Amino acid sequence: MFEYAPAPESRDVVDIKPSYGLFVNGEFVDGSGSAFKTINPASEEKLAEIAAASAADVDLAVQAARKAFTTWSAMPGAERAKYLFRIARIIQERARELAVLESLDNGKPIRESRDVDLPLVAAHFFYYAGWADKLEYAGYGTRPLGVAGQVIPWNFPLLMLAWKIAPALACGNTVVLKPAETTPLTALLFAEICQQADLPPGVVNIVTGAGETGAAVVNHPDVDKVAFTGSTEVGRLIARSVAGTGKKVTLELGGKAANIVYEDAALDQAVEGIVNGIFFNQGHVCCAGSRLLVQESIAGELLASLKRRLGTLRMGDPLDKNTDIGAINSAAQLAKIRELSDMGEQEGAERWSPACAIPDRGFWFPPTIFTGVAQSHRIAREEIFGPVLSVLTFRTPGEAVEKANNTPFGLSAGVWTEKASLMLWTADRLRAGVVWSNTFNRFDPASPFGGYKESGYGREGGRHGLEAYLR
Ligand code: NDP
């Protein structure tokens, strides 16, 4: 293998302030909780001090959203669309800055934040801007719900914000959003973009903080709709706490997707899809293809190719444009990945990683494959949320489907075959919200996304995504 010269993206495009307040009623204000710091997970360097919102701060944000709702919901859809189009265009103009900031705060490679996250974020705002004046044709009515309380995770900070805010605003709702504790910076830059777009005060409010702030948003009595993306555990807590309150809820939770490769698949293409399925964003992806189900007849050949390919992945500085695998988002997440991987070995699976240098500072985990995995192993059942692939084999399509569905989750799945009839037969039997064929982790704002079983309920994206925000 030849050496690559470093290709660092410049940090100069971002101006990180030493400290940030909450964004309430169109202004940055102090929080009354105890401030916390956000760090760069690739270096453990402190990036900024972030205000924490107490229940009283959340209350002020909800009040601001409630007040703004009166005018925002009464505004003609075509007028709301103008704001959303304006926000989408500013996101495009400031895409480089947002991408660098996202990579600094999250640890994901700049190649992904620049080429995947940011284009999708802008596309989401453009897409829902287009719906704002056409709600009567969507089939879900035209009456907004009111104030939406939205809580998002750290794996796609700005993209999850777009998934939540764009449809809510298009339908005439106002929002109070809590970003994840470890990745608040792009949401705060988004708040500045709302100011730049002259969005009326109170339509978007951003309250930073930890889990208690999230709970204060979700449990606020004047919130009409709760939208959450995150772990199944917290999703369960939320479902329990809003039961009987009349709040409308959507939950996008965990996954343990099967990526099924049949013996007639185009193998090189499948290898790329497997890599994209589990090593994209360090595997911090709810719909990651974390269980590879490969037909026994080709297992040896496929694994040999996959291992060869993993040997070419470059792990390191997220801001280097040649980096494929960035940093794990937090020490806590790294500990969880280590624990489950150690468990995989203890339970008898065989672990393999390519030789790769681990940087001295920051949180890192090499791309890892487990073979000899049994269905009962924890690494085959639990969401690891890291760059760890569990490989299982099957002999018949029936067995593939049975194994794929043998999980408490049901968010996504992949099928690799050259035979359309087999692909459709399989897709028809998979209990998953999204089934990709001969591709993986492909997103489009026009396509709905969501799960079955413990992966949650409700759909985000597409025309279906409007339903969650209309009465
Ligand atoms: P959480 O589900 O705890 O976090 C998601 C969001 O919810 C964050 O903004 C979090 O705040 C907030 N939150 C936490 N507790 C509450 C609460 N009681 N009420 C309301 N909001 C709350 O995920 P973690 O970040 O703790 O990750 C834990 C595991 O969850 C991961 O290891 C991974 O397996 C899985 N996960 C799955 C995701 C998915 O999309 N499927 C996304 C993220 C995690 P804060 O950031 O301050 O904790």
Side-chain angles (χ1 to χ4, degrees):
M1 224 171 65
F2 57 89
E3 276 305 308
Y4 283 70
E9 173 70 55
S10 169
R11 273 181 74 148
D12 296 348
V13 287
V14 296
D15 171 24
I16 301 179
K17 299 180 183 63
S19 64
Y20 288 85
L22 315 170
F23 185 65
V24 176
N25 206 24
E27 285 173 6
F28 285 94
V29 298
D30 292 338
S32 51
S34 40
F36 59 98
K37 62 176 183 179
T38 186
I39 63 167
N40 177 348
S43 63
E44 297 173 61
E45 146 214 19
K46 174 176 160 183
L47 294 170
E49 193 89 10
I50 309 293
S54 64
D57 299 322
V58 169
D59 184 46
L60 291 176
V62 174
Q63 283 181 35
R66 173 61 58 195
K67 187 152 164 275
F69 178 67
T70 313
T71 42
W72 183 251
S73 59
M75 195 182 274
E79 290 303 309
R80 286 200 304 269
K82 285 184 193 168
Y83 287 102
L84 290 170
F85 279 123
R86 199 181 291 164
I87 288 171
R89 285 194 303 268
I90 299 173
I91 288 170
Q92 284 186 321
E93 282 162 19
R94 300 181 71 171
R96 190 55 69 98
E97 182 185 353
L98 287 160
V100 171
L101 190 60
E102 194 78 307
S103 283
L104 283 170
D105 205 17
N106 169 280
K108 62 174 72 199
I110 185 71
R111 212 160 45 80
E112 292 180 6
S113 50
R114 182 194 63 193
D115 299 347
V116 182
D117 296 46
L118 261 297
L120 281 172
V121 169
H124 230 79
F125 277 97
F126 277 117
Y127 177 79
Y128 279 108
W131 271 117
D133 62 349
K134 302 176 196 70
L135 294 177
E136 59 196 293
Y137 306 108
Y140 302 117
T142 57
R143 284 172 60 214
L145 300 169
V147 176
Q150 308 179 318
V151 178
I152 57 171
W154 43 263
N155 53 341
F156 292 94
L158 195 60
L159 185 57
M160 288 303 105
L161 173 149
W163 281 27
K164 298 280 181 281
I165 292 186
L169 263 47
C171 294
N173 304 278
T174 54
V175 308
V176 176
L177 175 132
K178 191 199 90 69
E181 190 181 355
T182 57
T183 54
L185 292 181
T186 46
L188 294 164
L189 184 52
F190 178 82
E192 285 177 26
I193 289 175
C194 292
Q195 289 179 323
Q196 194 184 342
D198 272 332
L199 190 72
V203 172
V204 167
N205 303 275
I206 311 273
V207 288
T208 41
E212 309 88 77
T213 307
V217 171
V218 166
N219 295 323
H220 195 289
D222 204 27
V223 159
D224 303 287
K225 144 90 193 167
V226 171
F228 172 77
T229 298
S231 62
T232 298
E233 291 91 314
V234 175
R236 266 199 206 103
L237 281 178
I238 291 177
R240 238 179 258 133
S241 69
V242 299
T245 62
K247 291 177 188 172
K248 206 164 168 173
V249 189
T250 41
L251 300 174
E252 299 278 354
L253 311 175
K256 193 72 191 176
N259 205 356
I260 302 173
V261 184
Y262 284 114
E263 60 191 358
D264 70 318
L267 285 196
D268 289 344
Q269 214 176 308
V271 165
E272 290 310 307
I274 294 163
V275 168
N276 177 37
I278 185 64
F279 301 116
F280 170 62
N281 201 29
Q282 295 75 247
H284 298 330
V285 183
C286 48
C287 52
S290 51
R291 283 185 300 149
L292 173 63
L293 298 185
V294 51
Q295 198 151 13
E296 208 174 83
S297 50
I298 54 156
E301 188 187 348
L302 183 81
L303 276 172
S305 291
L306 183 61
K307 288 180 175 175
R308 239 186 342 265
R309 179 68 177 92
L310 289 197
T312 68
L313 293 180
R314 300 168 58 83
M315 186 167 88
D317 181 6
L319 284 191
D320 190 311
K321 285 170 255 181
N322 292 322
T323 293
D324 299 301
I325 305 215
I328 299 302
N329 179 249
S330 64
Q333 188 58 29
L334 180 59
K336 181 181 165 188
I337 298 169
R338 284 189 177 142
E339 183 205 324
L340 276 166
S341 301
D342 292 347
M343 188 56 67
E345 268 181 305
Q346 280 169 34
E347 287 185 323
E350 192 178 319
R351 178 179 186 155
W352 182 89
S353 292
C356 74
I358 305 227
D360 301 333
R361 301 204 60 195
F363 314 127
W364 306 93
F365 198 88
T368 298
I369 297 181
F370 277 99
T371 48
V373 177
Q375 298 249 69
S376 54
H377 289 170
R378 281 182 67 191
I379 52 168
R381 310 198 60 79
E382 295 180 27
E383 185 175 50
I384 301 175
F385 225 62
V388 181
L389 179 67
S390 298
V391 184
L392 296 99
T393 57
F394 67 88
R395 288 184 183 163
T396 62
E399 188 187 348
V401 167
E402 206 163 298
K403 283 186 165 161
N405 286 338
N406 183 6
T407 164
F409 298 109
L411 195 53
S412 64
V415 184
W416 297 81
T417 171
E418 294 290 278
K419 224 170 158 187
S421 57
L422 181 58
M423 184 260 280
L424 293 171
W425 183 92
T426 309
D428 219 26
R429 285 161 179 75
L430 290 173
R431 295 274 293 157
V434 185
V435 180
W436 286 292
S437 183
N438 294 337
T439 185
F440 209 92
N441 272 342
R442 198 164 277 270
F443 300 96
D444 189 286
S447 171
F449 183 88
Y452 282 94
K453 304 192 277 186
E454 289 190 15
S455 293
Y457 41 79
R459 294 292 177 263
E460 292 188 310
R463 181 180 64 84
H464 302 72
L466 296 165
E467 185 184 10
Y469 290 98
L470 291 167
R471 201 171 289 282

